[in-house]
Amino acid sequence: MRQTATNFPGLLVPTPLGFEGLVLYEGRDIRIHIDLDGSTETSSLELARKIAGDLARLDKKCLRLIADESFSSYHVTWRAGDGAPNPATLSATLQRSGPGSREFAGSFKLTSIEVTGHDTSSLQYECGDVPRGASVMVTAFEGAAFEAPFVDLYH
């Protein structure tokens, strides 16, 4: 049986597929799940350490990406209604008071970190207020760099 991971900036316990635990960030516990996915324990834990150690920068970067990539989708799809926007009502809908891009991104809070193997990581965000019930996952396939991540908005 494996032991709890050492040299990790949080609490980790072994699972059949890797590790689960908590990382303290901005006074809150952030869940972390590490799935070895065929990689070595050492390489997966190293990626998790890098992510946890650079969480302030990554969080800021991901919130900026959420604002840049999801704000227009929010306006077109969620504020204007599901399906293809109706040009006759779209303009009036978008003119109603709504959040700006900073307010929109600021309504999302980091809730969990997913590490898969030695090169894939995701930061998941839940929405506090705008739009209620939404979540966003920012996924990078190049380790902890987050140079070309994908942003997926869920409602």
Side-chain angles (χ1 to χ4, degrees):
M1 179 176 188
R2 292 181 298 178
Q3 299 296 314
T4 301
T6 58
N7 298 323
F8 188 80
L11 173 67
L12 288 181
V13 294
T15 69
L17 299 176
F19 295 92
E20 289 182 354
L22 299 171
V23 174
L24 185 63
Y25 177 64
E26 293 186 341
R28 299 178 293 121
D29 285 329
I30 306 298
R31 291 171 300 172
I32 185 164
H33 175 81
I34 302 165
D35 184 343
L36 301 180
D37 193 41
S39 293
T40 67
E41 188 174 294
T42 302
S43 65
S44 295
L45 285 171
E46 181 59 28
L47 175 56
R49 276 188 207 93
K50 286 179 183 177
I51 301 260
D54 201 15
L55 208 47
R57 182 188 68 83
L58 291 175
D59 183 37
K60 185 176 180 178
K61 183 174 190 167
C62 288
L63 287 173
R64 194 170 44 249
L65 285 167
I66 290 168
D68 292 348
E69 295 189 23
S70 299
F71 183 63
S72 61
S73 173
Y74 158 71
H75 275 287
V76 171
T77 305
W78 296 359
R79 286 189 69 213
D82 289 331
N86 178 347
T89 60
L90 179 60
S91 178
T93 301
L94 295 180
Q95 287 176 8
R96 288 195 306 258
S97 177
S101 66
R102 278 190 171 184
E103 181 185 359
F104 174 78
S107 68
F108 288 89
K109 299 293 180 215
L110 180 64
T111 57
S112 67
I113 303 164
E114 300 281 331
V115 173
T116 305
H118 65 278
D119 60 359
T120 304
S121 53
S122 299
L123 275 60
Q124 180 156 354
Y125 293 81
E126 298 295 326
C127 181
D129 297 317
V130 183
R132 188 165 303 285
S135 65
V136 174
M137 181 150 320
V138 182
T139 303
F141 297 100
E142 73 281 350
F146 276 76
E147 292 301 323
F150 292 88
V151 178
D152 293 308
L153 184 62
Y154 303 97
H155 187 62

